[in-house]
Amino acid sequence: MPLPFLTADRAFDASAEDIALPFDDHDSWRRPYRPGPWRVAAAATLLLLASFVLLAAVIIGAAGGLSGALACFALAAAVIMCSLRLLRVGAWVSRHGVRRVGFFRTTTVPWNRAAAVRTVQQPVKWLGLPRTVQGQALVVVRHGGDTLPPLVTDHNADFLGRDEAFERATDTIEAWGDEYRQ
């Protein structure tokens, strides 16, 4: 039994056919899709690891090893920061442009510098690993022909096995591009 009023895909009491861009505030950066199960599972696993490291830090601190406890707290903080950064990875859009957030690097392209936002067939990385497979990718072509690395692919941690969600997300990002590139 679908409960559309409980999903993040549309606003309360709004149908998906009424509006192409369902967000009220177009000035803030938004990810037009939910993080996928692979990304959430990886972040949850990292947070579970961080909880064990924090427990170890408390035990080491209670035993009297202050330097070891501080090292464990620092390691746990680094793991927590990595898991939060992993959850932020993806494509973000606003009225100002499109942003590709990677784990180490973020690239922003203003809409007036983007010539096209389109879905293409090309070899893509499977879950970000070196192995490539044939798939679809959403790319931004800048004026002058320079192409960004793919914003999202159908084989990344957000869309692996979720073809319908990939189509919906790419259509939404392309709609933002069509509206604000003019």
Side-chain angles (χ1 to χ4, degrees):
M1 173 174 79
L3 301 172
F5 59 88
L6 295 178
T7 64
D9 293 337
R10 62 185 122 199
F12 183 73
D13 286 340
S15 65
E17 293 80 32
D18 292 341
I19 49 178
L21 308 176
F23 302 111
D24 295 330
D25 183 16
H26 290 226
D27 288 326
S28 63
W29 290 98
R30 303 220 182 237
R31 180 178 17 212
Y33 57 90
R34 291 178 289 191
W38 289 92
R39 185 173 309 286
V40 172
T45 303
L46 284 175
L47 288 174
L48 182 65
L49 174 68
S51 70
F52 288 131
V53 174
L54 283 172
L55 180 65
V58 169
I59 292 172
I60 292 171
L66 185 61
S67 64
L70 289 176
C72 284
F73 276 123
L75 177 64
V79 170
I80 291 170
M81 288 174 37
C82 287
S83 68
L84 293 176
R85 183 64 181 181
L86 183 63
L87 287 174
R88 290 199 46 92
V89 169
W92 296 73
V93 292
S94 80
R95 180 178 312 215
H96 309 292
V98 62
R99 182 174 283 175
R100 180 186 180 271
V101 178
F103 192 76
F104 295 111
R105 185 176 175 192
T106 299
T107 306
T108 303
V109 177
W111 290 121
N112 60 0
R113 293 196 181 153
V117 179
R118 62 178 177 246
T119 306
V120 296
Q121 291 281 333
Q122 68 179 32
V124 296
K125 291 184 178 183
W126 183 77
L127 287 177
L129 298 172
R131 177 182 174 210
T132 59
V133 295
Q134 189 64 28
Q136 295 182 13
L138 181 70
V139 296
V140 175
V141 180
R142 296 181 189 176
H143 290 293
D146 185 26
T147 303
L148 278 178
L151 293 175
V152 293
T153 68
D154 61 345
H155 286 83
N156 69 3
D158 290 322
F159 300 111
L160 185 65
R162 299 174 57 215
D163 295 330
E164 185 177 313
F166 175 76
E167 293 296 326
R168 195 170 44 242
T170 56
D171 290 344
T172 302
I173 295 172
E174 288 172 359
W176 279 74
D178 291 341
E179 182 173 334
Y180 291 115
R181 268 184 302 158
Q182 302 167 358

